[in-house]
Amino acid sequence: QKQLVESGGGFMKPGSSLRLSCAASGFRVEDSAIGWFRQAPGQEREGIACISNNDGPATTYYARFVKGRFTISRDNAKNTVYLQIDTLKPDDTAVYYCVREELCSVWGGNYFLDLRPDDVWGQGTQVTVSS
């Protein structure tokens, strides 16, 4: 059974950094496209980043709004994907999810969230940014 478990969220101060983890089981992350998205209360889901399942070095894609504050990476040995978030802002407050996708959806070089029926995501991890 394919599963993803997110962790690493918490209560953070503005300007600080955080690394979220997405541990996979039942499949290999290197064989899959893994994305991160978030959902704030009362808001739509928002795609953040995706790391593709190429042979060789992984290709990463980011949503247009990211502007360098988010970095997605993968550790094949740990079967885990990470999302580093720097210079946290109150607007980053949301539940963060990782998702196993068929492929990274990209338009104009930017990642966008396009969930499909067979996609798998975890329970999410809450990130709250407040002074």
Side-chain angles (χ1 to χ4, degrees):
Q1 184 178 3
K2 301 177 180 66
Q3 289 186 320
L4 295 168
V5 178
E6 302 92 340
S7 62
F11 191 92
M12 308 298 294
K13 296 287 189 184
S16 62
S17 297
L18 187 66
R19 189 177 78 162
L20 306 179
S21 299
C22 170
S25 60
F27 69 98
R28 300 196 311 173
V29 292
E30 63 192 278
D31 295 334
S32 304
I34 304 292
W36 282 94
F37 67 94
R38 65 186 182 184
Q39 188 165 25
Q43 303 293 317
E44 296 289 320
R45 292 168 177 155
E46 182 177 46
I48 302 169
C50 188
I51 186 163
S52 67
N53 54 334
N54 344 35
D55 294 330
T59 302
T60 57
Y61 303 94
Y62 296 93
R64 183 187 297 271
F65 78 89
V66 164
K67 297 183 179 179
R69 291 197 304 117
F70 296 75
T71 305
I72 190 170
S73 62
R74 187 175 70 200
D75 186 331
N76 295 340
K78 295 182 178 180
N79 211 30
T80 299
V81 174
Y82 302 98
L83 183 70
Q84 174 78 25
I85 312 174
D86 296 319
T87 319
L88 282 160
K89 304 176 180 180
D91 286 349
D92 293 323
T93 295
V95 180
Y96 285 72
Y97 301 86
C98 58
V99 55
R100 179 182 182 267
E101 303 184 73
E102 180 179 348
L103 48 82
C104 295
S105 298
V106 179
W107 180 261
N110 297 304
Y111 169 67
F112 66 94
L113 185 65
D114 184 18
L115 296 177
R116 298 173 175 83
D118 291 339
D119 291 343
V120 175
W121 58 89
Q123 81 293 342
T125 185
Q126 175 72 48
V127 174
T128 302
V129 184
S130 175
S131 55

